[in-house]
Amino acid sequence: MTPVRVGRAFFARYTPLVARELIGCLLVRRLGDRRLSGIIVEAEAYRGGGDPASHAYGGKTPRNSVMYGEAGHAYVYFVYGFHNCLNITTEAVGTPGAVLIRAIEPKEGSPEMLRNRGGPGVKHLTDGPGRMTQALSIDRELNWEDLAKSASLYLEFGEGNMDVVAGPRVGVNSAKERRWRFCMQGSRFVSDPKPPGFRRTIN
DNA sequence: TAATGGATGTTCT
DNA sequence: GAACATCCATTAT
C-alpha cells in the first residue's frame, strides 16, 4: 500500500475529532536524505474561545495567530524555558484550533533520534511533547510550516481501527471535564500519567 | 514508585 | 512580574 499524505481537508474539522483520528497516523520528519518517523500514539485537542486551556483563549496575539489561519500548519511554541511543542492547526480559517502531538512510537531513524536525545542510555525517547520534538529536531523554525505541502514535515495515514482511550489533558488545570487527550490503547509509548481506562497490553 | 524542586525563555498583563 | 500544553535529578517511602 503506497503511503497517502494527510491533506488540508482532514485538519479543517472539529479539533477533538481531528485529534482522535490522528492516532495511528505516521509523523514524518525529513532532514536532507534522512527520514525520521513514528506513529502518533497520543494527541490533545485545544480550541479557541470557550476552551480556557487554549493559547487562543482570550483572543489573537502574535504568538497564537497561526491557530487562526488555514488548517494543516505547524504551530511550534517554546515552554518552560526548555522545550518545544509541536501542534497542527485545525478548524476553518478564523476559528482557532490545534492538536498537540504528545508522543509517537518510533518507526524510522531511531538511532538518530537517540543521538538527538543525548546519546545511549536515554530511557524516554519520544514519550512526551518536549522529548518528541527533541528526537525529531523540531523547533520554532518550523512554526507556520504547511504540512499539506512541506517536504520536511508531514503526516501519512495509518491503519486506523485501533482502540483509543480519552482522558483529561496533561498539565492543564482548567476544563478537566473535557476528555480531549487521546491515547492508543495499550501502547507502551504513551506518556505518563496514563489516562483512566488505559491498559498496558499490546506491544 | 511517588513526590519534590530546579533549570530557564518567552509571552502577555 | 507572573504564568507557563515540560523534563530531569534527587529525595523519600
Side-chain angles (χ1 to χ4, degrees), chain A residues 174-195:
Chain A
S174 53
K176 287 189 162 72
E177 75 287 355
R178 278 181 192 170
R179 301 197 306 164
W180 282 3
R181 177 194 185 199
F182 301 93
C183 300
M184 187 183 297
Q185 178 65 288
S187 171
R188 69 190 216 283
F189 299 95
V190 168
S191 74
D192 288 321
K194 307 290 191 257

Side-chain angles (χ1 to χ4, degrees), chain A residues 1-14:
Chain A
M1 210 176 97
T2 86
V4 177
R5 178 186 290 233
V6 179
R8 186 153 350 266
F10 179 93
F11 298 110
R13 297 181 295 155
Y14 182 62

